[in-house]
Amino acid sequence: MRLTSVLRTDVKRMAKNTKIIQTENIATTIAAQLAKQNGPAVTHYELACLVYQCLPNKKSTTAATKKQLEEVLKLLQQFHLIRPIEPFAETRGFQLFGYERSTTIELACSLDPFAYVSHLSAMEHYGLTDRFSQLVYLTRPKASEWAALAKAKMNRDLGQQTENFLKLGYPKLIRPTFKKLSGITVHLLERSNQGAFRTTAHSSLRVATIGRVFLDMLREPALCGGLQHVVDMYTNHAKKYLPFIVDELNTHGAPIDKVRAGYLLSEVCKLDHPAFADWEKFAQRGGSRKLDPEAEFEPFYSERWKLSINLPSLLNNENTFE
């Protein structure tokens, strides 16, 4: 009886040691993979994918797999390779070793795979503005669209294993809700019409294209330093980026966007382009046809663009509505 008890104890000890060795091996493999990451952070979901891919038995019990995930993450934290980004319930992510000096926008783009830097933050990124806001602007899809993109990404990442991955209790890709990162306030803008953005090489950073930045200035000047600042940016930089601005307006601009851009580019910046003649067709009188969409209507207008010029600094040469 005593021999049987000893044998059982030895078997349990061996099984426990095997699990420990397995956990350490998984952690070592993941550590090597994390060293190749471009961004400064990884999501809880991404780490779970890495653990899942290392499992020798993908048909284990839910309790066992969840416990092993916890043990691997605990081991990686003990080695200071990752640390939870607080508050974890909002960020759903871990910062990687060696990236302590990463910018807030790099961190944010690592935590939300469908967000990109926009508005005044994108203007700052491109060197268009000398205003350094204590606020970071990010644009991302609305909740339902974000969820659909997340589901598609999980299917790409895991393929036919997606259902089993979730069945075993691993975390799915969840939309983060952080309002601050590294002490900086993050303004998350949700838009159903995803704008154009580009990915920076060897980085997690995604930034609105230069053409989209100039379009966003027209649509939401308050998020770009105010309309006067927008006019200054057009005056100082539109000539250099005119082909990109025209292409973005032709592709994604609404009629009112084209009228506003046409006015600023032709009458304020004194530029010319064949596209302006097409945009001019959208000019029409109306109480909602204002240069600044968020300011009060003014009785001063551009004859060519039939647009209320509701910015005092531009009123010198404008007509008055009858």
Side-chain angles (χ1 to χ4, degrees):
M1 197 70 162
R2 181 169 162 35
L3 179 59
T4 302
S5 177
V6 170
L7 287 173
R8 285 176 179 172
T9 302
D10 286 344
V11 169
K12 288 181 180 179
R13 186 183 297 112
M14 290 175 63
K16 183 178 180 180
N17 289 339
T18 300
K19 287 182 179 179
I20 292 173
I21 292 171
Q22 186 183 91
T23 299
E24 291 176 345
N25 288 340
I26 291 175
T28 300
T29 300
I30 292 175
Q33 292 174 309
L34 293 179
K36 301 175 184 178
Q37 289 281 329
N38 287 326
V42 290
T43 64
H44 192 203
Y45 158 76
E46 288 173 318
L47 282 173
C49 281
L50 293 175
V51 173
Y52 180 78
Q53 290 162 2
C54 293
L55 290 180
N57 177 18
K58 291 182 172 57
K59 294 184 179 181
S60 184
T61 64
T62 300
T65 53
K66 289 183 71 173
K67 184 178 180 181
Q68 187 161 53
L69 173 61
E70 293 170 1
E71 289 174 347
V72 170
L73 297 185
K74 183 178 179 181
L75 198 56
L76 291 171
Q77 290 178 65
Q78 287 177 351
F79 290 145
H80 304 290
L81 296 177
I82 62 172
R83 68 170 180 82
I85 302 173
E86 300 298 339
F88 184 74
E90 296 178 3
T91 66
R92 309 297 300 177
F94 298 82
Q95 187 157 6
L96 301 179
F97 172 77
Y99 286 94
E100 289 77 14
R101 294 187 178 181
S102 296
T103 63
T104 301
I105 56 177
E106 289 173 328
L107 200 58
C109 287
S110 291
L111 296 174
D112 190 329
F114 311 121
Y116 63 92
V117 181
S118 63
H119 298 84
L120 190 61
S121 298
M123 293 163 65
E124 182 182 338
H125 174 81
Y126 286 114
L128 299 177
T129 178
D130 57 1
R131 296 189 181 184
F132 299 100
S133 173
Q134 291 302 307
L135 189 68
V136 167
Y137 291 100
L138 289 180
T139 295
R140 66 178 180 179
K142 289 187 175 181
S144 59
E145 296 171 16
W146 199 102
L149 289 170
K151 183 177 180 181
K153 177 174 170 53
M154 290 181 65
N155 287 332
R156 289 195 304 272
D157 294 342
L158 297 160
Q160 296 180 348
Q161 294 291 326
T162 304
E163 184 178 349
N164 189 55
F165 176 88
L166 296 174
K167 184 179 179 181
L168 291 176
Y170 282 103
K172 64 181 181 179
L173 182 56
I174 297 175
R175 189 172 68 141
T177 58
F178 50 79
K179 296 178 182 177
K180 272 196 172 186
L181 286 175
S182 303
I184 303 295
T185 300
V186 180
H187 191 166
L188 289 166
L189 303 161
E190 298 186 353
R191 301 290 181 264
S192 58
N193 184 14
Q194 272 287 82
F197 59 86
R198 65 181 186 85
T199 302
T200 305
H202 309 298
S203 170
S204 62
L205 194 59
R206 292 177 297 277
V207 186
T209 62
I210 192 69
R212 172 59 60 155
V213 172
F214 277 88
L215 176 54
D216 284 340
M217 288 187 209
L218 298 173
R219 289 178 170 174
E220 299 173 297
L223 303 179
C224 299
L227 183 60
Q228 183 58 62
H229 190 54
V230 167
V231 171
D232 293 341
M233 295 303 97
Y234 265 77
T235 303
N236 295 333
H237 304 288
K239 182 177 180 180
K240 178 180 178 181
Y241 297 111
L242 185 59
F244 302 101
I245 298 171
V246 170
D247 182 63
E248 181 68 20
L249 265 294
N250 282 336
T251 305
H252 299 291
I256 187 60
D257 297 325
K258 294 174 181 177
V259 170
R260 289 174 180 143
Y263 168 76
L264 285 180
L265 293 170
S266 66
E267 298 193 20
V268 177
C269 300
K270 307 302 180 184
L271 300 174
D272 192 23
H273 192 282
F276 296 170
D278 292 328
W279 297 355
E280 196 174 348
K281 297 173 185 176
F282 298 111
Q284 61 184 35
R285 297 276 287 271
S288 62
R289 313 290 281 190
K290 304 177 293 184
L291 178 60
D292 187 343
E294 295 155 338
E296 293 295 323
F297 182 88
E298 293 291 344
F300 306 98
Y301 72 100
S302 161
E303 177 64 37
R304 178 182 179 186
W305 297 97
K306 306 295 187 292
L307 190 69
S308 169
I309 308 307
N310 51 353
L311 183 68
S313 66
L314 299 177
L315 297 181
N316 294 334
N317 301 314
E318 302 307 335
N319 300 296
T320 305
F321 283 118
E322 296 177 358

